[in-house]
Amino acid sequence: MSSAAPSKPLFLGLDLSTQQLKAVLLDEESNVVHEAAVHFDRDLPHHGTTNGAILGPDDGEVTSPVKMWLEAIDLLCERLSEGKIDFGAIAAVSGAGQQHGSVFWSSDSDSLLASLDSSKSLTEQLFPAAFASPKAPIWQDSSTTVDCKRLEDEFGGAQAVADVSGSRAYERFTGNQISRIRRLKPDVYEASTHISLVSSFITSVFLGRIAPIDISDASGMNLMDVLSCKWDQRLLEICGGPTLRAKLGEEPVIGGTSLGPVSSWWVKKWGFNPECIVAPFTGDNPATVMSLSAPGDALLSLGTSTTFLLSIPHTSAPPKRFTTSHLLAHPTDFDGKIAMLCYKNGALAREQIRDRFANGDWDKFNQLIQQTPPGCNGNLGFYFPLPEIIPPNVTGEFFFTTDLVKTTVKPPLPTENVPPTIHPRAIVESQFLSIRSRIAAMLPKDSPHLKRLVISGGSSQNLVIRQLLADIFDMDVYVSATKEAAASGGALLAKYAWWKRSHPEGTFEDMTAGEAMGLQCVANPNKEISAVYNDLVSVYDACEAQVVDSWAAKN
């Protein structure tokens, strides 16, 4: 086919998430022109996954079959073809992968990727020969506690690891997954010529060679210096010994880089333009930041877990690193950073309170919130049905009475002493105050004020929760019409790599004019109510410290 540049270019973004592989196609004006998806459990049931994952056999071990991901790519292309997509119009491709997952390539991978036959599928040519392990540890894996402890002990403690890598040693982080495989399966580790993240795995498939890891996804590994965006030799040595640097390949690369054109397999098999650019894929959280927020925005995902993402602008002081949060490299800016807070007890915890105190009815849940004044008449509650990340490992319920301005820390109240009608507001207030209380510490002192709060996920559709967020954070709240945020972010990164060919000095924000995709303001703060929550931040901090102390004393 002709290699002429398409007159109406399209940009393909993929998201290889836990449960499905999604595709979004954007046009030059960043409008969504097509979407497609492959759901792993439903479309590829023969792999026996539950929500895209396989538990065990070891305690805490969670993996996904690499073959399933290859089959999903093959099937997704078929579905795009059935949708009458002109593959030749795709000018660039990029995307996202679930963060922290790892793929172990065999010594045959280079030759197999370079010699793909267009008469055959990816799966039949690459699996199993291209892989040293048929399974990929993913972000839900928690089997690496021993390896995390070793990393922190040998590196000088949790804070020392956070100071360099941006996060303390976390069970799901790739460096610790690698460490565990090296410790328990040395034959697999030795047979692995290359190690990719999920994001760079799919990039490699498009390139026809092993792709470098992007800087933002690399910052979720406990292996990269988050300020220099280069591998840290001491972290590499502890997690993988002297051979890990070679297995990871070149230094991490910045988003928007043109890694080269798609391999000839894509041209011959599906009709891609031979000049179609392949740009680095990133992690799903950074990709979501790229699609749903602009500089000065905060992003809150209200799904099963709760994730708060904050792009930190350039300042004179380096951003702080904490052992209870993450500092990630920005996908398209070596000097920019993304601060992230992650909580296990999000929507599922709110649903449990709804079921217990609002008869399982969201309307009743919302009514109880609206009938309870801000601050819950001096009641403050903490709800951790699952071992929490922030504060770490705490489980249980804890309740306090306060005077809404300051608190004398007393032993937590028993649940039966708390009016049952206050729980819906109490859980929402405590979950969001936890985030609010940490924002100031995450931002450098000379950083400008945040402009707006962009929310996504299931609870972002709840009108009462929207207003509570506006009041607690004292910010206008926005939602996006973009449903597939990570895939859309990937498509924007693809467009950025294409755009930079004619704007080599331009930034991502230059391309987007500093605006996110399709945002709509849905709530404004009530300043009187926000003043109540401003006073409650220090109260929350005092009570949380008591929770941590009381839980530690019992455990």
Side-chain angles (χ1 to χ4, degrees):
M1 68 175 293
S2 170
S3 62
S7 59
K8 294 184 178 180
L10 299 177
F11 307 97
L12 176 61
L14 303 183
D15 176 27
L16 204 171
S17 68
T18 315
Q19 298 187 45
Q20 55 189 324
L21 174 64
K22 292 157 282 189
V24 168
L25 274 162
L26 300 183
D27 63 16
E28 199 170 351
E29 286 71 46
S30 299
N31 300 308
V32 175
V33 297
H34 193 77
E35 297 181 10
V38 174
H39 190 277
F40 300 142
D41 292 2
R42 183 173 61 246
D43 295 325
L44 303 170
H46 50 282
H47 289 287
T49 57
T50 301
N51 297 322
I54 294 175
L55 306 183
D58 295 340
D59 288 344
E61 185 178 14
V62 185
T63 60
S64 288
V66 178
K67 185 179 181 181
M68 178 180 73
W69 292 343
L70 289 171
E71 289 181 357
I73 298 171
D74 285 324
L75 181 55
L76 185 73
C77 289
E78 291 178 17
R79 290 183 172 174
L80 288 171
S81 179
E82 291 166 359
K84 308 300 182 185
I85 294 303
D86 179 7
F87 289 101
I90 298 173
V93 58
S94 184
Q98 53 178 291
Q99 289 197 266
H100 317 303
S102 43
V103 175
F104 295 79
W105 299 91
S106 74
S107 58
D108 293 328
S109 58
D110 294 302
S111 60
L112 290 170
L113 282 168
S115 60
L116 292 172
D117 182 345
S118 61
S119 68
K120 299 177 181 178
S121 70
L122 290 171
T123 307
E124 61 186 310
Q125 296 182 82
L126 293 177
F127 194 88
F131 303 97
S133 172
K135 301 189 296 183
I138 62 171
W139 68 275
Q140 293 165 315
D141 183 87
S142 61
S143 64
T144 62
T145 303
V146 169
D147 306 276
C148 291
K149 185 177 187 307
R150 175 171 171 263
L151 175 59
E152 291 183 349
D153 288 348
E154 294 191 18
F155 200 78
Q159 187 63 58
V161 175
D163 286 342
V164 173
S165 75
S167 305
R168 58 161 280 262
Y170 279 94
E171 279 79 2
R172 67 187 186 278
F173 274 37
T174 323
N176 306 303
Q177 293 177 351
I178 291 170
S179 177
R180 179 178 183 270
I181 286 178
R182 179 183 175 224
R183 174 170 56 88
L184 298 181
K185 301 177 182 178
D187 55 330
V188 170
Y189 186 70
E190 291 304 317
S192 301
T193 303
H194 309 286
I195 300 175
S196 290
L197 297 183
V198 177
S199 58
S200 59
F201 153 74
I202 196 167
T203 316
S204 303
V205 172
F206 274 94
L207 274 178
R209 59 179 172 83
I210 300 298
I213 296 171
D214 107 297
I215 57 173
S216 196
D217 216 4
S219 57
M221 298 175 74
N222 283 142
L223 295 177
M224 188 189 80
D225 184 317
V226 73
L227 295 185
S228 70
C229 296
K230 297 183 182 299
W231 301 122
D232 182 86
Q233 188 59 35
R234 286 182 63 206
L235 293 171
L236 294 176
E237 288 278 350
I238 295 170
C239 289
T243 62
L244 182 53
R245 179 179 284 272
K247 294 178 190 292
L248 293 175
E250 61 191 88
E251 297 287 1
V253 295
I254 194 167
T257 304
S258 177
L259 298 176
V262 292
S263 76
S264 61
W265 183 86
W266 293 91
V267 178
K268 296 174 182 175
K269 179 78 172 179
W270 296 109
F272 273 71
N273 190 306
E275 293 185 0
C276 175
I277 295 168
V278 180
F281 285 46
T282 189
D284 50 4
N285 287 311
T288 299
V289 169
M290 302 310 288
S291 66
L292 295 190
S293 65
D297 292 342
L299 177 61
L300 181 62
S301 174
L302 296 167
T304 302
S305 60
T306 295
T307 304
F308 181 78
L309 296 155
L310 184 62
S311 290
I312 299 178
H314 298 181
T315 63
S316 58
K320 300 174 185 177
R321 274 81 82 201
F322 300 94
T323 58
T324 55
S325 61
H326 308 298
L327 188 69
L328 305 176
H330 191 280
T332 61
D333 184 351
F334 277 120
D335 296 318
K337 297 291 178 279
I338 297 172
M340 183 170 80
L341 301 171
C342 188
Y343 298 81
K344 280 187 184 177
N345 293 290
L348 292 182
R350 293 191 293 274
E351 288 169 9
Q352 288 186 20
I353 295 300
R354 176 204 63 191
D355 294 344
R356 285 166 58 191
F357 299 103
N359 300 320
D361 185 337
W362 281 119
D363 289 336
K364 177 66 173 176
F365 182 92
N366 288 343
Q367 289 171 11
L368 290 173
I369 289 178
Q370 293 173 311
Q371 292 167 11
T372 305
C376 296
N377 294 318
N379 290 280
L380 188 63
F382 295 77
Y383 304 80
F384 305 127
L386 296 173
E388 189 47 89
I389 299 172
I390 305 171
N393 302 317
V394 177
T395 57
E397 294 184 354
F398 308 83
F399 302 97
F400 298 86
T401 56
T402 79
D403 60 10
L404 299 181
V405 177
K406 60 184 179 178
T407 183
T408 301
V409 177
K410 301 175 182 177
L413 294 167
T415 305
E416 55 268 24
N417 287 14
V418 179
T421 57
I422 69 101
H423 290 287
R425 180 177 278 270
I427 187 172
V428 177
E429 285 188 345
S430 67
Q431 287 183 337
F432 298 155
L433 281 169
S434 177
I435 300 169
R436 167 73 195 275
S437 74
R438 289 170 165 85
I439 291 177
M442 293 163 68
L443 286 169
K445 289 184 178 180
D446 57 350
S447 176
H449 289 296
L450 298 176
K451 293 191 304 182
R452 58 191 176 187
L453 180 67
V454 182
I455 60 175
S456 65
S459 296
S460 66
Q461 301 305 308
N462 185 310
L463 301 182
V464 173
I465 287 179
R466 287 176 176 179
Q467 186 59 50
L468 251 178
L469 283 165
D471 295 337
I472 290 174
F473 286 90
D474 195 14
M475 281 192 281
D476 293 336
V477 171
Y478 285 72
V479 296
S480 173
T482 305
K483 294 181 179 179
E484 302 299 345
S488 295
L492 287 171
L493 288 168
K495 179 183 172 183
Y496 180 51
W498 172 84
W499 181 85
K500 278 182 70 70
R501 294 196 305 181
S502 55
H503 303 79
E505 303 302 319
T507 66
F508 186 87
E509 286 70 33
D510 290 336
M511 182 189 76
T512 62
E515 266 307 320
M517 293 180 66
L519 294 184
Q520 176 187 3
C521 185
V522 293
N524 308 107
N526 180 312
K527 293 300 181 180
E528 291 184 7
I529 296 176
S530 293
V532 174
Y533 289 120
N534 290 340
D535 291 336
L536 269 177
V537 171
S538 60
V539 176
Y540 174 90
D541 289 340
C543 293
E544 185 187 276
Q546 167 79 352
V547 168
V548 172
D549 290 344
S550 64
W551 186 85
K554 295 177 181 178
N555 294 274

